[in-house]
Amino acid sequence: MVKDIISFPDFAKLDLRVGKVVEAEKLAGSDRLIRLKIDLGQEIGERQILAGIAAWYKSSELVGKKFIILVNLEAKRMMGEESNGMMLAADVDGKCNLIPVNKKIPEGSIVR
């Protein structure tokens, strides 16, 4: 499904950054959520993100890896926890595929 065209000023509102997973654990009581602590560099610091990726990834696979994070998404509460961002992923045949970032790119780097 192709979505509606947006203007460049609307795209420019997105704050996409490189983030490194420093902690990850499956959220107790949930079949799909993993609680992640993401290092987004000095300017932003660390954030907690809840990601519905447990069907495709184990927590231990994620620690130390870098991904693209949408950092200015409105916070959302799920199962009593707050999520402050979203990891970008590709949907391939209904399966989640996180998009890895080269380890040489520093945490907090802006994606444009």
Side-chain angles (χ1 to χ4, degrees):
M1 172 179 115
V2 176
K3 296 185 179 184
D4 293 339
I5 300 291
I6 63 169
S7 67
F8 183 79
D10 284 340
F11 172 77
K13 292 176 186 176
L14 301 177
D15 190 354
L16 299 166
R17 306 279 179 128
V18 172
K20 181 179 180 180
V21 177
V22 293
E23 291 179 17
E25 65 178 331
K26 192 160 184 277
L27 193 61
S30 175
D31 292 332
R32 58 186 198 91
L33 291 175
I34 294 179
R35 179 190 306 118
L36 303 155
K37 185 186 286 184
I38 308 286
D39 179 359
L40 291 158
Q42 258 186 318
E43 183 181 357
I44 297 174
E46 291 184 348
R47 293 260 181 102
Q48 175 174 286
I49 293 176
L50 303 177
I53 59 174
W56 301 282
Y57 293 93
K58 293 180 182 175
S59 300
S60 59
E61 295 178 284
L62 303 170
V63 176
K65 294 189 177 154
K66 295 183 182 185
F67 302 99
I68 299 170
I69 310 295
L70 174 60
V71 298
N72 64 335
L73 183 65
E74 182 177 44
K76 182 176 181 179
R77 291 197 70 76
M78 295 180 269
M79 299 195 65
E81 300 268 344
E82 188 168 272
S83 183
N84 290 289
M86 181 180 285
M87 299 174 80
L88 297 190
D91 183 336
V92 179
D93 298 326
K95 295 180 181 175
C96 172
N97 289 271
L98 294 175
I99 302 166
V101 173
N102 186 305
K103 291 181 180 184
K104 294 179 182 179
I105 300 173
E107 293 88 301
S109 294
I110 296 172
V111 176
R112 20 178 163 181

